[in-house]
Amino acid sequence: MVSPPARYLVLFQYLGSRYSGVMKTSNDQSVVGVQNYLEKAAQHLNPIVPIEFHISSRTDTGVHALCNSAHIDIQRAPGKPAFNEKQLIYSLNYHLRPEPIRILNVYRVSNSFHARFSALSRTYIYRLLMGCAHHSEVPVFERDLCWAPVGGQLNVPAMRDAAQFLLGTHDFSTFRSLSSKTPLQSPVRTIVQVDIQPSSGFLSHHYEQRGLEFWELKFRSRSFLYRQVRRMVGALVAVGQGKLTPHHIKELLERKDSRALPPYAMAPPSGLFLKSVEY
């Protein structure tokens, strides 16, 4: 008699620079999704039914995750007990070794749990490097892990004033990139946290004399629209550069039109990290 499948919550991280995003893509592409590698590693568990990772949070090409999550169902051969969590962590990481993808933790969950729909909130951070007059001044250890807007320092107090307009429940149509995958998705979202705080860089204490400053922008909401965080960051940086005023953010929200966002107000993917998914 075949036992029912066991469901697990899998927490994992990845360096997004090498992938087309987190979601699965056709294997004949030159660059594929993180999910492709996760499912390839999972097949070494010899399940009766191929294992599918149900990802909680989509991330685009070049976007990283300190901790994303997914649930999987594992159906083993008759007579074989369900895997324990440590077995899954070690086995999956063993077969992921060549890739900058790591399983952080695994939890056995009920069959009613869903990694995407059971999530209470998601937190993203965006890393900014200030003080670079030219992109060649970005430390090699930080390449593809931050955005260094050209032009020196930013007006952080103005950015913080502007960020207050993003808090709460709004129609974020202006801050959504239109996508054929989400044309009918409601543009209304509730942002419960926006913080702009100084941060540290990798080995940054070794080049303090260069006057470089790292900052993190943190956003938390139950869910976000397609490229919403990158567009909000781009608009806030434009405020910091004096291209927009804080009140312009309020006006852009009220326009409810993705075409209203200036073309320069789109942050690149390299500085964006999915920090956590909260349950």
Side-chain angles (χ1 to χ4, degrees):
M1 183 176 177
V2 178
S3 58
R7 179 164 294 188
Y8 300 87
L9 168 64
V10 181
L11 306 183
F12 59 101
Q13 64 181 194
Y14 47 90
L15 194 63
S17 311
R18 292 176 53 170
Y19 308 107
S20 64
V22 71
M23 303 305 290
K24 190 174 183 178
T25 59
S26 169
N27 278 308
D28 58 7
Q29 294 182 201
S30 57
V31 179
V32 297
V34 173
Q35 186 179 356
N36 293 60
Y37 293 96
L38 290 170
E39 293 182 357
K40 182 179 178 182
Q43 296 320 306
H44 291 279
L45 299 171
N46 299 316
I48 293 178
V49 178
I51 294 171
E52 180 181 358
F53 278 69
H54 299 269
I55 310 287
S56 75
S57 306
R58 289 175 176 264
T59 58
D60 286 342
T61 303
V63 176
H64 318 288
L66 296 171
C67 184
N68 203 339
S69 60
H71 76 259
I72 58 175
D73 293 324
I74 303 180
Q75 181 89 50
R76 301 200 73 188
K80 291 199 171 185
F83 288 108
N84 67 45
E85 289 91 339
K86 283 190 176 180
Q87 285 176 314
L88 290 178
I89 295 170
Y90 295 150
S91 177
L92 292 173
N93 278 333
Y94 179 84
H95 294 288
L96 285 166
R97 279 176 306 166
E99 299 298 322
I101 305 170
R102 289 295 174 271
I103 306 301
L104 300 173
N105 223 327
V106 174
Y107 300 95
R108 180 78 181 265
V109 293
S110 72
N111 283 3
S112 62
F113 176 89
H114 195 288
R116 179 183 172 193
F117 300 118
S118 298
L120 300 177
S121 66
R122 294 162 173 86
T123 302
Y124 283 86
I125 61 170
Y126 196 98
R127 301 182 69 241
L128 288 176
L129 173 56
M130 301 183 191
C132 292
H134 189 266
H135 67 80
S136 62
E137 296 179 7
V138 177
V140 67
F141 305 105
E142 291 287 352
R143 192 180 69 177
D144 298 329
L145 297 175
C146 64
W147 177 26
V150 175
Q153 300 299 323
L154 299 175
N155 184 343
V156 174
M159 293 170 65
R160 286 175 170 154
D161 288 344
Q164 296 307 302
F165 292 114
L166 298 172
L167 283 169
T169 302
H170 305 283
D171 181 324
F172 281 95
S173 292
T174 300
F175 293 91
R176 170 173 64 178
S177 284
L178 295 180
S179 164
S180 59
K181 298 176 184 176
T182 58
L184 302 178
Q185 190 178 49
S186 170
V188 176
R189 292 291 183 274
T190 301
I191 305 294
V192 297
Q193 182 181 17
V194 183
D195 285 333
I196 304 174
Q197 300 294 339
S199 183
S200 59
F202 183 64
L203 300 174
S204 58
H205 58 286
H206 288 294
Y207 41 83
E208 287 175 341
Q209 74 282 359
R210 291 176 55 186
L212 302 181
E213 293 182 3
F214 288 89
W215 290 74
E216 283 185 5
L217 286 72
K218 181 188 289 185
F219 302 87
R220 185 160 62 92
S221 173
R222 181 166 187 180
S223 62
F224 293 88
L225 298 169
Y226 183 54
R227 293 184 176 170
Q228 180 184 349
V229 175
R230 288 172 57 192
R231 288 166 76 91
M232 291 190 297
V233 170
L236 292 176
V237 167
V239 169
Q241 293 172 325
K243 296 176 181 177
L244 298 174
T245 67
H247 200 74
H248 274 133
I249 301 301
K250 183 175 185 291
E251 293 176 0
L252 285 169
L253 275 171
E254 292 170 349
R255 290 281 297 275
K256 302 176 184 177
D257 182 356
S258 64
R259 296 166 296 182
L261 194 75
Y264 54 75
M266 166 68 98
S270 54
L272 183 57
F273 293 74
L274 172 60
K275 180 180 183 291
S276 58
V277 182
E278 293 80 33
Y279 292 99

